Amino acid sequence: MDALRSWQHDEVTLAGETHEVWRKGSGTGVIVIHEIPGIDDLLVAFAEEVVARGHTVLLPRLFGTPGAGFTARNIAGDLARFCVRREFSTFARGRTSPVAGWLRALARRLHEDVGGPGVGVVGMCFTGGFALAMMADAPVIAPVLAEPSLPFPIGAKRGADLGLSPLDLVAVTRKAAEGCEVLGLRYRTDAATGTRFDTLRRELGHRFIAVEFEGKGHSVLTHDRQEEGVSRVLDFFDEKLGVDA
């Protein structure tokens, strides 16, 4: 994939799991987690903007083939595989996806490596809620949830669920009460996000910062990019991680 040529590639084993990770930049750490169909040119372009603001960025590959393309066939194939993998809790309520353990370990390792006050994370779509899960048990101080869509919003209860176990939810609300803010972005009418923003407002109060856009769309930072949303994320990372824009 041409867009990743300037990125350092490695296979990272943590918590008994191995995933590919691409790395670029210097300064405080940010982890950018892709959506279906995986790492593509638009995701890398967004990550390059984070790098340019003075951050060390990691791009872990959780599924999909980098550069495979945003086609109906690729999306359908990745979605089918995604639904049956045990690392992702696609339907269960009140459960944290097991892959969060590896992502938390990655955040801890990144923080130990680059230092700073903590780590920023942005999750998108099916991985949107992972940023919240990582906040529960990792040095994550700048979590960004872009159109969080798990568990699948089939029914009102799933649509309101945050994809967290009860213990992780307690940890997240405690950390928010201590001052950690959470940034959320979505198109207001995006059915994939269910009523999770209402749940986040209820659980986190004024520590949840909602950025909502009118019109039809889903992927705020990539395929249906909103410049205001991208700017809000970059400024959020700069503020929380101590970078002067």
Side-chain angles (χ1 to χ4, degrees), residues 30-239:
V30 174
I31 298 173
V32 177
I33 313 174
H34 63 81
E35 56 193 317
I36 282 178
I39 297 173
D40 64 7
D41 289 342
L42 292 177
L43 179 90
V44 177
F46 167 75
E48 291 278 8
E49 293 179 86
V50 182
V51 169
R53 294 288 279 258
H55 303 288
T56 301
V57 176
L58 299 186
L59 292 177
R61 183 178 77 86
L62 302 184
F63 48 82
T65 301
F70 197 78
T71 66
R73 181 176 181 179
N74 288 337
I75 292 172
D78 285 341
L79 183 58
R81 288 186 289 271
F82 180 82
C83 288
V84 300
R85 287 178 57 179
R86 295 181 179 180
E87 300 101 313
F88 308 106
S89 297
T90 55
F91 293 102
R93 292 188 295 114
R95 184 167 182 257
T96 301
S97 290
V99 74
W102 183 85
L103 289 167
R104 289 166 176 169
L106 183 67
R108 287 191 288 267
R109 195 177 88 158
L110 177 60
H111 186 227
E112 290 172 0
D113 184 21
V114 302
V119 172
V121 179
V122 54
M124 305 179 186
C125 187
F126 295 144
T127 69
F130 294 174
L132 200 65
M134 293 168 69
M135 173 184 166
D137 186 26
V140 172
I141 62 170
V144 177
L145 286 62
E147 63 277 348
S149 306
L150 282 186
F152 293 143
I154 300 174
K157 291 183 178 179
R158 286 192 181 91
D161 194 87
L162 297 180
L164 295 175
S165 69
L167 287 178
D168 282 344
L169 179 57
V170 168
V172 165
T173 56
R174 181 186 299 120
K175 196 167 179 178
E178 293 171 352
C180 184
E181 293 183 316
V182 176
L183 180 64
L185 305 100
R186 70 166 182 174
Y187 282 89
R188 195 183 303 275
T189 59
D190 184 3
T193 63
T195 58
R196 290 188 184 93
F197 273 41
D198 293 336
T199 305
L200 287 162
R201 291 185 181 97
R202 183 177 67 250
E203 296 291 348
L204 305 183
H206 68 281
R207 299 298 185 190
F208 176 59
I209 304 169
V211 180
E212 299 176 279
F213 298 100
E214 303 300 333
K216 295 182 179 180
H218 175 65
S219 302
V220 175
L221 303 177
T222 54
H223 295 274
D224 303 306
R225 178 180 169 113
Q226 283 280 350
E227 294 297 336
E228 179 188 347
V230 173
S231 295
R232 291 289 294 270
V233 173
L234 296 175
D235 291 345
F236 185 70
F237 285 152
D238 289 352
E239 175 191 351

